[in-house]
Amino acid sequence: MPRVLSCIQPSGAVHLGNYLGALRNWVLGQHEADAFHGIVDLHAMVSVQEPGVIGAQTIELAAVLFAVGLDPDVATVFVQSHVPEHARLSWLMECTVSYGELSRMTQFKDKTAKGGTDFVPAGLFTYPALQAADILLYDTDHVPVGDDQRQHVEITRDIAVRFNQRYGAEVFRLPDAVVPKAGARVMDLQEPTSKMSKSNSAETGIIYLSDPPATVAKKFKRAVTDSENSVRYDRAAKPGVSNLLDILAACGGGDPAALAGDFTQYGPLKAAAADAVVATLEPIQARYRELMDDRAELSRLLRVGAHKAEVVASETYRRATEAVGFLPPG
Ligand code: ATP
Ligand code: LTN
């Protein structure tokens, strides 16, 4: 069975785009691979600096991951900072990647391009080294990522090749990025030409997994469509209507283009999309509440995950340090 690793940052509330575009696939894929899922709280520190916030978001995100259907008996769900080898291997990665390589990373260039007086943590620059540690620690075969993360998997491969060459040992397995076929890409309800996104969407354009039914209904009612008044699936010409059809199909089943034939007006389409989303979210929300009401159980599940992760990570880390040839503690 191939080993798959995917990670998500605890950097804000989970939305419908995260669920349909990523988390749902994690759940579907957990039986086809040896799946490891990390909540990468160390990475979140690059953008979240208020004390206490990362921990609170980590526990909520863990509850979401189990609530959407990751089975702790099947997949390994763990918190990055609970497995100390991530930070430890990250240093070895930093010494294996060059300043020039890190300077060329698009994410770093984009996020620092604005200039301004914002504090730029050095962690934003070394971020790919920590990500390489995440990936290489688990002898990962496949890393399912969005297109924006492809470059981070490529640099991970470069680091692994260089490390293996330098230290004369096949320490690291080379991972592949798996970019899912353009599947569910959920657009902002208010700005249907932009993706639904926690950092860019207005509250009214974004559906959180935690939104109660009345909020979901209200947001869909106000969703931006167009003035044409005909229901057709055409992403370029009718982005708002097509997004509603995509969401309806993703949550209720069926094909978006075929579903268009069931509607003549926008109102009923919006109501049907809202109902399908509410029906999808209801069981997730019920399970989420149960988990959040039993913190002890949630902590136990994360301890089990951290332990399973640690078994693999500590062995890889040992191999790496042995290859470098550090003096072992006596
Ligand atoms: P940010 O606004 O900070 O970019 P985000 O809300 O876009 O955050 P990420 O944390 O970047 O979300 O992504 C987590 C996962 O959710 C990724 O796998 C990403 O591809 C997926 N994802 C995010 N937004 C969408 C969307 N609108 N449609 C489909 N998938 C999405
Ligand atoms: N950089 C990624 C999150 C991430 C990741 C990983 C993804 C950190 N470590 C390891 C895959 C594998 C992001 O921002 N989406």
Side-chain angles (χ1 to χ4, degrees), residues 16-317:
L16 189 67
N18 300 139
Y19 175 60
L20 295 176
L23 304 186
R24 195 162 70 163
N25 296 330
W26 294 13
V27 174
L28 295 172
Q30 66 185 328
H31 297 283
E32 279 135 46
D34 184 12
F36 280 66
H37 298 295
I39 300 177
V40 287
D41 53 349
L42 300 175
H43 277 111
M45 207 179 157
V46 168
S47 53
V48 183
Q49 277 119 20
E50 300 86 348
V53 172
I54 294 179
Q57 289 181 349
T58 297
I59 198 79
E60 287 170 11
L61 182 54
V64 167
L65 296 186
F66 294 121
V68 298
L70 282 179
D71 180 345
D73 292 327
V74 177
T76 301
V77 177
F78 66 96
V79 176
Q80 187 186 34
S81 69
H82 295 179
V83 183
E85 283 75 13
H86 287 259
R88 299 176 81 188
L89 187 66
S90 181
W91 178 253
L92 276 66
M93 303 289 97
E94 284 183 40
C95 295
T96 310
V97 69
S98 73
Y99 182 85
E101 283 168 316
L102 291 179
S103 311
R104 288 192 290 276
M105 300 306 286
T106 312
Q107 177 175 301
F108 176 71
K109 287 197 288 188
D110 286 353
K111 294 202 174 170
T112 50
K114 295 186 294 293
T117 53
D118 276 2
F119 178 78
V120 178
L124 183 60
F125 184 65
T126 58
Y127 184 111
L130 179 58
Q131 184 161 351
D134 299 340
I135 296 170
L136 298 178
L137 275 176
Y138 297 97
D139 289 332
T140 305
D141 296 295
H142 305 304
V143 189
V145 284
D147 209 32
D148 60 324
Q149 293 296 315
R150 201 193 271 275
Q151 201 185 26
H152 286 161
V153 181
E154 269 156 23
I155 200 171
T156 299
R157 285 177 69 93
D158 295 343
I159 293 173
V161 167
R162 186 173 301 139
F163 191 98
N164 287 345
Q165 278 169 353
R166 248 187 212 172
Y167 299 107
E170 290 298 304
V171 176
F172 295 126
R173 180 175 300 177
L174 302 190
D176 282 323
V178 188
V179 180
K181 296 176 268 345
R185 186 170 158 82
V186 181
M187 309 308 274
D188 187 318
L189 295 183
Q190 287 299 314
E191 256 183 74
T193 47
S194 316
K195 74 164 195 161
M196 189 179 285
S197 143
K198 60 177 166 281
S199 38
N200 295 320
S201 295
E203 285 288 306
T204 44
I206 185 166
I207 303 280
Y208 293 106
L209 288 207
S210 57
D211 278 346
T215 307
V216 173
K218 197 157 82 190
K219 287 178 177 174
F220 274 98
K221 215 173 200 158
R222 296 186 182 162
V224 167
T225 48
D226 53 54
S227 53
E228 201 188 65
N229 249 330
S230 78
V231 179
R232 279 183 295 118
Y233 186 72
D234 181 340
R235 272 207 164 225
K238 296 176 74 66
V241 170
S242 304
N243 189 36
L244 294 173
L245 288 164
D246 274 328
I247 294 174
L248 176 61
C251 291
D255 170 73
L259 283 167
D262 296 347
F263 300 93
T264 50
Q265 289 177 310
Y266 293 163
L269 169 61
K270 290 177 173 183
D275 288 348
V277 169
V278 166
T280 301
L281 296 190
E282 259 173 350
I284 296 174
Q285 291 174 350
R287 178 90 186 107
Y288 175 82
R289 278 190 296 269
E290 263 172 49
L291 285 154
M292 286 300 280
D293 286 345
D294 189 354
R295 298 293 181 102
E297 174 60 5
L298 207 43
S299 299
R300 188 189 68 81
L301 294 177
L302 290 177
R303 268 201 309 281
V304 170
H307 179 71
K308 286 201 276 179
E310 175 76 37
V311 170
V312 181
S314 60
E315 170 54 22
T316 314
Y317 183 71

